[in-house]
Amino acid sequence: NFPNVAANIMTNGTAITFPAASADWLTADEVGIWVASSGGSPKYRDALEIPVTVRSGQTREFEAGALTIRMI
């Protein structure tokens, strides 16, 4: 949900929460939006300011307003 768009920058309007990891994830250093929920092509992507490592049982969340994507 990205209702806030200004000057080619989209900001998430609601929290985006991933389910609990069933195993350790590799360190994430990028975020992307894809054209399909499974597979497809990346529409937008960019580096995270701070890389994140999620361990088994943990979740990852982007709070509302925390994720901004510049459209080029």
Side-chain angles (χ1 to χ4, degrees), residues 4-11 43-44 68-72:
N4 308 314
V5 179
N8 291 337
I9 297 177
M10 300 187 310
T11 304
K43 187 77 170 169
Y44 306 103
T68 58
I69 298 173
R70 179 182 306 273
M71 298 179 288
I72 54 172

Side-chain angles (χ1 to χ4, degrees), residues 6-56:
N8 291 337
I9 297 177
M10 300 187 310
T11 304
N12 62 314
T14 60
I16 299 171
T17 305
F18 295 90
S22 59
D24 291 350
W25 295 356
L26 297 174
T27 299
D29 59 2
E30 291 184 287
V31 65
I33 296 177
W34 296 71
V35 297
S37 61
S38 176
S41 303
K43 187 77 170 169
Y44 306 103
R45 68 183 181 115
D46 202 355
L48 293 171
E49 289 181 8
I50 300 171
V52 176
T53 300
V54 178
R55 302 289 179 209
S56 182

Side-chain angles (χ1 to χ4, degrees), residues 30 58 62:
E30 291 184 287
Q58 294 179 326
F62 293 98

